[in-house]
Amino acid sequence: MKFRVFVILALLIFSSLFLQVARSKSEPDPDVVENDEGGDLGIVGEDVQDFGGGSFSPALGVETICVFPKNPSKLVVAGEEGELLVGIKNEGRESSINVIAIQATVHLPFDHQYLVQNLSAQAFNNASVPPAAQATFPYIFAVSKFLQSGAFDLVGTIVYEIDQNPYQSTFYNGTIEVTEAGGLLSVESVFLLCLGTALLGLLGFWIRGQIKNFSKKTKRAPKVEVGSGTTDASMDEWLEGTAYTQSQSSKSKKKK
């Protein structure tokens, strides 16, 4: 049993080392991941501006909504394009909304101060929403192919103008699940599978050992009957020469 435990522990150590090597090869920068697919992803129009530097407040009477039409589970494949639809409604305003751009960022789920990736902005020309009307705009995005699998937070905003005043509304602030392009079975999944199998094996060996110990304790010792009938040879040898054997011999003589 000790040899089996040693083999399982060696397998766990080897799997951990393999996981670390695979991560070091697939991650060029563990802190910040940049988009190498190009800066013109999903951009409409020729004059493209950088909307990441400004931060504006949302306008009153403007409502936004976000839908993943082809991906309701919000499962994003690293390096492949994804699509979402942004709906904006002009309610309670007398002026039209001039939609400028849609942009998004990827953050760590436990702390939004750590920016993982700044996705490309998609600009729109002559896109307006009249009063008491609503419109839908597509947004094509792709996370970096070097981004490791796991849960991340996607923050999407839409930038627009009303009476030449800039505004910004957040249409989505939630979790997305990033998977590797090779499929759902990643290196981490293989490692976790090996780890779970090893732990189940150790648990099985432990339960088997406990059952064996319990069965040994519950076994009763064989009874030894001492009386007028029969006695064990070992008992006779041990009592030989004592008063007990003499009394037994005298009783047998009287019976004769």
Side-chain angles (χ1 to χ4, degrees), residues 23-117:
R23 281 185 173 181
S24 62
K25 289 183 178 180
S26 62
E27 296 178 10
D29 191 350
D31 296 329
V32 179
V33 180
E34 296 181 357
N35 187 6
D36 295 337
E37 305 299 327
D40 56 349
L41 176 64
I43 290 181
V44 178
E46 298 179 356
D47 298 327
V48 179
Q49 303 176 8
D50 185 10
F51 305 98
S55 179
F56 311 106
S57 61
L60 296 176
V62 176
E63 298 179 0
T64 57
I65 191 174
C66 174
V67 178
F68 292 79
K70 301 179 181 179
N71 187 14
S73 61
K74 302 178 180 61
L75 190 65
V76 179
V77 180
E80 296 184 6
E81 292 185 353
E83 181 184 8
L84 57 85
L85 300 178
V86 182
I88 184 169
K89 185 177 182 180
N90 187 359
E91 186 177 15
R93 303 194 66 95
E94 298 180 355
S95 302
S96 298
I97 298 175
N98 183 23
V99 178
I100 299 175
I102 297 177
Q103 58 189 7
T105 53
V106 180
H107 302 263
L108 294 180
F110 53 84
D111 192 352
H112 278 197
Q113 292 183 356
Y114 292 95
L115 177 64
V116 178
Q117 185 179 0

Side-chain angles (χ1 to χ4, degrees), residues 72-205:
S73 61
K74 302 178 180 61
L75 190 65
V76 179
V77 180
E80 296 184 6
E81 292 185 353
E83 181 184 8
L84 57 85
L85 300 178
V86 182
I88 184 169
K89 185 177 182 180
N90 187 359
E91 186 177 15
R93 303 194 66 95
E94 298 180 355
S95 302
S96 298
I97 298 175
N98 183 23
V99 178
I100 299 175
I102 297 177
Q103 58 189 7
T105 53
V106 180
H107 302 263
L108 294 180
F110 53 84
D111 192 352
H112 278 197
Q113 292 183 356
Y114 292 95
L115 177 64
V116 178
Q117 185 179 0
N118 201 354
L119 302 179
S120 300
Q122 180 169 326
F124 299 92
N125 295 329
N126 300 324
S128 62
V129 182
Q134 58 185 7
T136 303
F137 300 91
Y139 177 62
I140 308 297
F141 68 97
V143 300
S144 174
K145 62 181 179 181
F146 299 110
L147 190 62
Q148 67 178 9
S149 302
F152 296 91
D153 279 358
L154 177 68
V155 180
T157 57
I158 182 170
V159 183
Y160 51 92
E161 287 183 350
I162 301 177
D163 297 330
Q164 297 183 352
N165 294 320
Y167 297 95
Q168 176 178 300
S169 297
T170 301
F171 59 83
Y172 184 78
N173 186 0
T175 304
I176 59 173
E177 188 72 23
V178 178
T179 61
E180 293 183 359
L184 298 178
L185 189 63
S186 61
V187 178
E188 291 185 358
S189 301
V190 174
F191 171 74
L192 292 177
L193 180 61
C194 295
L195 179 61
T197 304
L199 291 177
L200 290 177
L202 287 175
L203 181 61
F205 288 139

